[in-house]
Amino acid sequence: MDRAWCHGRFPVGSQPRSRLGCVIVLWRVCYAHTSRHSDLFKFADIPYASAPVNTTSLPIAGANGDVYIPVPRRPDAGAVAIPAQPPNSGEAAITGSPAWRAVAWVVPAIVTMAAASVGITGPGLWADELATWGMTGVSWPETWRQLGGTDATLGAYYVFMHLWCAVFGDSDLALRVPSVLAMAGAAAVVGRIGTRLLSARGGLVAGLLFAVLPVTARFAQEARPYAMAVFFAAVATLLLVRLLDGRTFPNGLAYALCLTVLCYVHLIGGLLVVAHGLAVWILQRPMLWRWIRTAVLGIIPVLPLVVLGRRQSAQTSWIEKDPWGAMEHYVQSFFGSALLTGAVLIIGLVGLGRQRASIVGGAVALIPTATLLAVGTMIPLWQQRYILFTVIGWVLLVATALERRGTVVVLAVSACLAAAAIPGQREVRTPAERLQDTKAAVALINRDFRPGDGIVYGLTDRGPGVLNRDIIAHYLPAERRPKDLLVQRPMRTAGYMVASECADVARCLGTTRRIWVLRLGIYPDPIAELDGTKTTVLRRDYTIAGAWQTTGLTIALLQRNGGS
């Protein structure tokens, strides 16, 4: 039995001479054969019988009818070992030691949090962030009435921020920290996705690229729901990958729940479902109907929000329907600068292919963008920040392209992308990136304020001018605020976000000696084109004593005629 060939001679069709010897020989053959090949096909998508057969290890019948059963030798030192598992198949796709797999998600999370923390309180809250702040200060009954009339699609985010600020306060830092945490969590999940679909190195590359992109820091420092939408989109994509690996019930339930939360955080995030559906159709067509049932389970609870949001479509009426201009702006600045955007898009397109990472990443990157652009030609919906979650797909595509290259190339390209991101990282921390320099505006008013001063706002200015009152209410203490001369019903009361104002402007201004005018937008004439009769009355009774323009805002100080 120690020889390479076991001459277990027994004529075909007759009983073997030694039953014990036959059993031992067959056991050795079966054990050697299955131990070598069973793991190979354990996770394979093809049946075992379709694998190539090594004929040298099969029993051989001699000319006289004797059967010779070869016992495989140990492979030679130079033999090519058969891999135990095929690449990119479920857990088999996770390569590297547990330590490296942990690095792939821990390091991107730390880098994202560190980058987002730099200059987080520098720029002031802009109009949309002030809308978030304003909703944190109203009573719960008023919150429900408010959401019934406006911003119902952001209701879940506003409720969360209301609870958050009740614990941590409503400073600029407190308002922005949830977005920082969400982006850091998203970076960790991106690293995990890359590890499952590529390798630990691929996950680390994807996570770090996500962390250093200026657009990541930009929205990690904004008190709006977009960072949270990125986080839940990343979690949903990770759960989809696990579903593709055959883990159905617990992951399916979590996946459906994650889709629901994503849509309630930001309704347009639901476009991710279209991307996931395409990925499933390409990668696992037999499970398409099972996935559809799971996705529908997650979408059904969102339908009331869709109906309510449709009734409030006036909230997006200010968006222009200009798809070509939107596409040009997307290419120029989506990731932070034209250079960086071009590099990411080109490398990402190189990463397109038949790999699972390419298909999942390509679907997440391209399908929601193309869908929103198409819808934006008919309905005013296109805004780049609405598809921020597609960054997940682009970094996966870049990681896939680099995964095929050597370590030197990966390091060189990664260093170039990080260097290209530096100017954008500086830019996203400037007031210009926030559209309005609210801190500069209130600094001007605070500097020249006198007791008895009043203030007038432009309600129909370019953009959400109705939120100008929030600038003063948030940044100036009560004793340093000019009196709101025209307000009758305050903002966010009786179910109305907009304040109601006095119709008789001259009567309500009274004999106020000095009046500040705060407007959203840049106006060479600070009192031109004001709503109602404001312009007429102010031109007649007041003289412009000073006018200033900051990023996105116009401030003026008016002196009553004949006064000092």
Side-chain angles (χ1 to χ4, degrees):
M1 297 299 296
D2 293 332
R3 290 176 297 172
W5 289 84
C6 173
H7 296 276
R9 293 180 179 171
F10 46 94
V12 178
S14 65
Q15 296 295 326
R17 297 179 181 179
S18 172
R19 295 179 183 273
L20 179 60
C22 180
V23 170
I24 293 175
V25 170
L26 290 176
W27 178 82
R28 291 187 60 183
V29 172
C30 293
Y31 175 79
H33 188 71
T34 55
S35 64
R36 181 181 179 186
H37 294 285
S38 62
D39 286 341
L40 175 62
F41 300 101
K42 186 175 181 181
F43 299 98
D45 294 331
I46 58 176
Y48 177 82
S50 64
V53 178
N54 183 358
T55 56
T56 61
S57 63
L58 296 178
I60 302 173
N64 60 356
D66 291 345
V67 177
Y68 298 89
I69 304 176
V71 178
R73 297 176 182 271
R74 290 182 179 273
D76 297 334
V80 178
I82 299 176
Q85 296 172 344
N88 295 330
S89 178
E91 293 291 344
I94 305 178
T95 60
S97 66
W100 275 111
R101 294 200 298 270
V103 166
W105 65 269
V106 171
V107 172
I110 294 174
V111 173
T112 300
M113 189 172 295
S117 299
V118 176
I120 188 172
T121 58
L125 303 180
W126 70 293
D128 280 12
E129 290 182 285
L130 287 167
T132 299
W133 168 78
M135 288 298 294
T136 65
V138 299
S139 65
W140 286 112
E142 192 58 56
T143 297
W144 309 130
R145 285 195 292 268
Q146 191 72 183
L147 295 178
T150 57
D151 282 343
T153 57
L154 299 177
Y157 175 73
Y158 285 153
V159 169
F160 169 80
M161 291 302 295
H162 197 295
L163 296 171
W164 174 273
C165 291
V167 177
F168 299 101
D170 62 355
S171 66
D172 290 6
L173 177 61
L175 286 165
R176 288 170 172 168
V177 163
S179 294
V180 174
L181 298 177
M183 277 300 193
V189 177
V190 167
R192 180 61 179 158
I193 296 171
T195 301
R196 290 189 68 90
L197 293 176
L198 296 168
S199 64
R201 186 181 78 168
L204 182 61
V205 169
L208 286 178
L209 177 58
F210 179 89
V212 302
L213 287 175
V215 71
T216 300
R218 164 68 178 83
F219 289 97
Q221 295 183 347
E222 177 159 312
R224 295 300 279 173
Y226 308 116
M228 291 187 181
V230 174
F231 172 73
F232 286 109
V235 174
T237 302
L238 177 60
L239 291 170
L240 176 75
V241 173
R242 295 174 67 89
L243 285 173
L244 292 173
D245 291 339
R247 301 183 176 185
T248 54
F249 183 74
N251 289 281
L253 192 60
Y255 178 76
L257 178 61
C258 193
L259 289 180
T260 303
V261 176
L262 169 62
C263 293
Y264 269 91
V265 169
H266 187 53
L267 187 58
I268 293 180
L271 292 177
L272 183 70
V273 177
V274 184
H276 284 182
L278 178 62
V280 173
W281 184 76
I282 296 174
L283 292 172
Q284 287 282 6
R285 198 170 303 178
M287 68 169 289
L288 181 61
W289 284 111
R290 186 171 59 191
W291 172 84
I292 290 175
R293 292 194 297 269
T294 304
V296 168
L297 181 64
I299 295 299
I300 285 178
V302 185
L303 295 181
L305 185 65
V306 174
V307 174
L308 190 55
R310 181 60 182 165
R311 294 175 182 172
Q312 300 175 0
S313 58
Q315 294 294 108
T316 60
S317 59
W318 57 272
I319 301 176
E320 296 182 2
K321 292 187 286 187
D322 181 14
W324 297 113
M327 178 58 72
E328 180 182 3
H329 190 241
Y330 177 88
V331 173
Q332 289 179 348
S333 64
F334 184 69
F335 295 102
S337 67
L339 175 62
L340 183 61
T341 300
V344 172
L345 293 181
I346 291 172
I347 299 174
L349 293 176
V350 171
L352 288 173
R354 296 184 179 182
Q355 288 180 274
R356 290 205 314 168
S358 296
I359 293 169
V360 173
V364 173
L366 298 173
I367 300 304
T369 305
T371 303
L372 191 60
L373 273 172
V375 173
T377 62
M378 300 174 288
I379 303 173
L381 279 179
W382 172 267
Q383 285 290 289
Q384 290 192 170
R385 58 183 180 270
Y386 292 172
I387 54 166
L388 180 64
F389 61 89
T390 61
V391 173
I392 299 166
W394 284 112
V395 297
L396 285 174
L397 286 176
V398 172
T400 303
L402 296 181
E403 180 76 3
R404 306 166 186 168
R405 306 297 186 265
T407 302
V408 174
V409 175
V410 172
L411 291 176
V413 174
S414 300
C416 290
L417 290 174
I422 292 176
Q425 288 284 355
R426 295 197 189 101
E427 181 66 22
V428 298
R429 290 165 174 79
T430 62
E433 190 65 26
R434 292 299 196 280
L435 304 181
Q436 299 106 32
D437 191 351
T438 53
K439 284 187 175 180
V442 295
L444 283 167
I445 296 174
N446 187 52
R447 182 192 65 187
D448 296 334
F449 171 81
R450 294 181 188 175
D453 285 358
I455 191 168
V456 170
Y457 302 94
L459 293 186
T460 58
D461 289 343
R462 304 163 191 149
V466 296
L467 299 175
N468 286 346
R469 284 182 166 85
D470 287 339
I471 300 175
I472 301 302
H474 179 63
Y475 283 113
L476 287 178
E479 65 275 9
R480 300 290 296 177
R481 293 178 198 162
K483 181 182 178 181
D484 194 343
L485 299 171
L486 301 180
V487 67
Q488 288 186 323
R489 184 191 65 244
M491 294 180 64
R492 303 181 183 90
T493 56
Y496 294 93
M497 182 184 71
V498 183
S500 66
E501 292 189 340
C502 176
D504 189 347
V505 175
R507 179 181 61 83
C508 292
L509 294 183
T511 59
T512 306
R513 308 305 301 173
R514 295 178 8 132
I515 294 178
W516 292 92
V517 176
L518 178 60
R519 308 192 64 183
L520 186 64
I522 302 300
Y523 294 87
D525 183 348
I527 59 175
E529 304 175 27
L530 282 167
D531 52 288
T533 61
K534 294 175 186 175
T535 297
T536 302
V537 173
L538 291 175
R539 284 199 191 283
R540 184 189 66 198
D541 297 335
Y542 290 85
T543 301
I544 298 174
W548 302 267
Q549 293 176 348
T550 68
T551 301
L553 293 167
T554 298
I555 308 99
L557 176 61
L558 278 57
Q559 185 80 34
R560 191 171 183 84
N561 294 333
S564 57

